Structure formats: C-alpha cells, structure tokens
Amino acid sequence: MNYTTIQNIDSLSKWVKQALKIKKKPLKNKKLGKDKTLGMLFFNSSLRTRLSTQKAALNLGMNVMVMNFTNEGWTLEFEDGAVMNSGASEHIKEAAEVVSQYCDIIAVRAFAGLIDKEKDNAETVLSGFIKHATVPIINMESATAHPLQALADAITMAEYKTKHKPKVVLSWAPHPKALPQAVANSFLEMMQLQDADFILTHPEGYELNPDITKGVTVEYDQNKAFENADFIYAKNWSSYKDYGQVTNSDTSWTITAEKMKRTNNAKFMHCLPVRRNVIVTDEVLDSENSIVIEQANNRTFAAQLVLQKILETHLDPKKATKKSKK
C-alpha cells in the first residue's frame, strides 16, 4: 500500500472518522510500529510535514530516520539509460533499493521545479521511488500533490462544520514568488469526495490543471464566491498555463476582514507557512475564526492514520485484505 494521492483513500468519511479516533487516543497503537523504521527523504525544506509525520511515527512506536538531499545525500539521476558523466552521482535505481533495505516505509518530499510542466506532471522523483523501492511510499508533497495536507484539511473541516453540506471556497491569493499547484490540486480532489457546495475562485489566467478541475465550479469574482461561505481556504499557486510564472500580483485578492463579512461567519484555513498581509491580513489570521493552527495540528493525525494503515497491511496482509473487502 502506497499513499501518494488522495485517490488512494477508499472512503474519505471513514478515514476522517478513524483519524478523529486517533486524535483522542494517539498512543493507543504504540506497539504497532515496534521495530519498524520510517525513512523520511527531503528534497525540499519542511516544518509541519517533517515534524508532524515524525511525531505520528513516534506515536506508533516507530524508529525514524531523516535525510535531507538538499545538503546531505548524493545528487540522484532519475532518467533511464542516462550517461552519468556530469552532475548526478547515484541513480534512483540503486538509491531506492538501498533505502528500502534500511526502512520499512519511505516518505518522500520533492516539490515541482516549475520550469518543465511535463517533467513535473510526470512526478519524476516520487515516481522513481514508487518504481524502484521495495517498500511502501508516502507522498509528503510532490510536484503535483500534497495528499497528507488534504487529509488534514478534511479532518479539520469535519471538526468545525456546522451543517451537513457546507459551502467551501478555495481562493487564490497573491504571493511574490512562484508556488506549486500541489496543495490546491489535492484540496480540489479531496473536495470532490465531499458532500459540499464547493467553489474555486482565482483571477483569469490562473486556471489549474483542467484534468483536476473538471466539473468544478469556477468563479472569477472573489467577492461573489465568498457570499455565504462556511469555509474560506486561501492558497497561492503560480500560473499553470504560463507555467511557473507570476503573471498577477493583484493585492485586491488578499483575504481581508471586509471580505470575510460576506461569508456565513466562515472559518479561515491555510496550509501554512503564510505571508501575513500578502495572502491574508493580520486581522483575519489572528481572529477567532482562523483555524490554521488546529489545521496544522491535524497533520499529525492524518500522517498517523496513513502510517497505521500501511503498518497494518505490512504486518498482516490477509487481515488488511479482509478489511478492504468489507
């Protein structure tokens, strides 16, 4: 069992309920991961993802090894048939198999390069580990997806929603740097598994991958999108059409208290880190309706649920097969 996309979830509602049970008793399955090792490989920086996933593993009694390829590991080659006579020192074929001998589960974090759309969509790094590793793989954010964040978002909304079918808005907001589409993509995919009134709002020219947004309601008027919303999720992403480019820095898209007044006393969400008074004003971020800290807290229980499911499958495949058939 791998967890590399939100599509790996067979029933989102069941997973959310299981995660909330874990949250109440996080050390209940402390023995499940005994003598098992999680290897966490970072090709990009991290705060919440690293600490929450590591804590989740420790809650399950696992050993954890962390390696930062930004300054510790050999530069890896991912292309089949490559003549390695320049920068890369080691091929993914050997690296993935070697790490698999040291770890029972491998978690990988590798952002989009935002230069070559085809290369990013091919998920070069993540796909390399999936192909060549001999143990389960967890996606800690890849070029196009962040399924751990999306699961934590679903858990958070389940805790705070006040009606069965809430109105949820994912809003683009300005940012000085070009950011990937991964968080937005996985949030969209997660919302398509929810019973909710979902709206995506962004400036024209900032459309996401049409394969992911198919069937999603898009509103180019942010103020109109916010009307009577129950949740506002702010996130920046760079252009998908003009790939990786910042073609709009319109500050009128910043989330303000005035805009939040249009909502149904909506909860404000963001995956963090967030640039204050660029993405969202202090007044909104520091308000009682801001749930970004609890959202970050739920990253632990999202990761713990994923690890638990993989460990159960890894330890007793027959038991896991029976469960999946029910």
Side-chain angles (χ1 to χ4, degrees), residues 81-101:
V83 178
M84 295 172 56
N85 60 359
S86 54
S89 303
E90 183 164 12
H91 202 282
I92 183 62
K93 290 183 178 181
E94 289 77 52
E97 288 194 58
V98 167
V99 177
S100 297
Q101 294 178 112

Side-chain angles (χ1 to χ4, degrees), residues 251-266:
T251 57
S252 70
W253 280 79
T254 297
I255 313 301
T256 65
E258 197 62 30
K259 291 178 183 178
M260 293 296 287
K261 290 178 181 179
R262 294 176 174 270
T263 71
N264 182 30
N265 197 33

Side-chain angles (χ1 to χ4, degrees), residues 152-317:
D153 296 338
I155 296 166
T156 306
M157 286 192 291
E159 288 183 301
Y160 284 94
K161 70 178 182 179
T162 58
K163 56 186 179 184
H164 175 70
K165 191 174 182 178
K167 179 179 178 180
V168 181
V169 177
L170 173 61
S171 177
W172 181 91
H175 195 284
K177 294 184 178 181
L179 298 184
Q181 291 95 34
V183 171
N185 288 342
S186 288
F187 188 78
L188 278 168
E189 291 179 325
M190 181 272 290
M191 287 307 306
Q192 290 171 332
L193 303 176
Q194 295 261 34
D195 185 11
D197 177 11
F198 177 62
I199 294 179
L200 172 64
T201 185
H202 56 72
E204 292 190 43
Y206 272 80
E207 290 77 12
L208 292 162
N209 186 337
D211 292 335
I212 296 175
T213 59
K214 187 177 181 179
V216 172
T217 300
V218 178
E219 174 56 66
Y220 295 111
D221 185 334
Q222 188 189 46
N223 288 327
K224 186 177 179 180
F226 274 39
E227 290 177 2
N228 297 314
D230 299 293
F231 291 94
I232 299 295
Y233 196 123
K235 185 70 183 83
N236 173 270
W237 56 88
S238 55
S239 176
Y240 185 77
K241 179 182 178 182
D242 299 308
Y243 193 66
Q245 299 300 308
V246 177
T247 61
N248 190 327
S249 299
D250 187 355
T251 57
S252 70
W253 280 79
T254 297
I255 313 301
T256 65
E258 197 62 30
K259 291 178 183 178
M260 293 296 287
K261 290 178 181 179
R262 294 176 174 270
T263 71
N264 182 30
N265 197 33
K267 299 298 183 183
F268 175 79
M269 300 178 70
H270 189 282
C271 61
L272 301 183
V274 63
R275 295 204 176 210
R276 285 174 173 264
N277 302 307
V278 177
I279 294 283
V280 56
T281 62
D282 287 340
E283 190 175 2
V284 174
L285 194 58
D286 295 331
S287 72
E288 292 182 355
N289 281 27
S290 174
I291 55 175
V292 297
I293 301 302
E294 192 57 37
Q295 192 180 348
N297 184 40
N298 283 332
R299 288 296 307 278
T300 295
F301 311 111
Q304 190 166 334
L305 174 61
V306 170
L307 287 168
Q308 182 173 311
K309 285 182 174 290
I310 292 175
L311 286 170
E312 288 173 345
T313 303
H314 197 59
L315 292 172
D316 192 350

Side-chain angles (χ1 to χ4, degrees), residues 39-43 49 106-110 125-126 129-130 137-142:
M40 300 172 64
L41 310 181
F42 291 90
F43 292 81
T49 297
I106 298 173
V108 180
R109 182 173 175 92
V125 178
L126 183 66
F129 279 95
I130 292 172
I137 300 296
I138 294 176
N139 179 357
M140 295 192 297
E141 187 172 356
S142 62

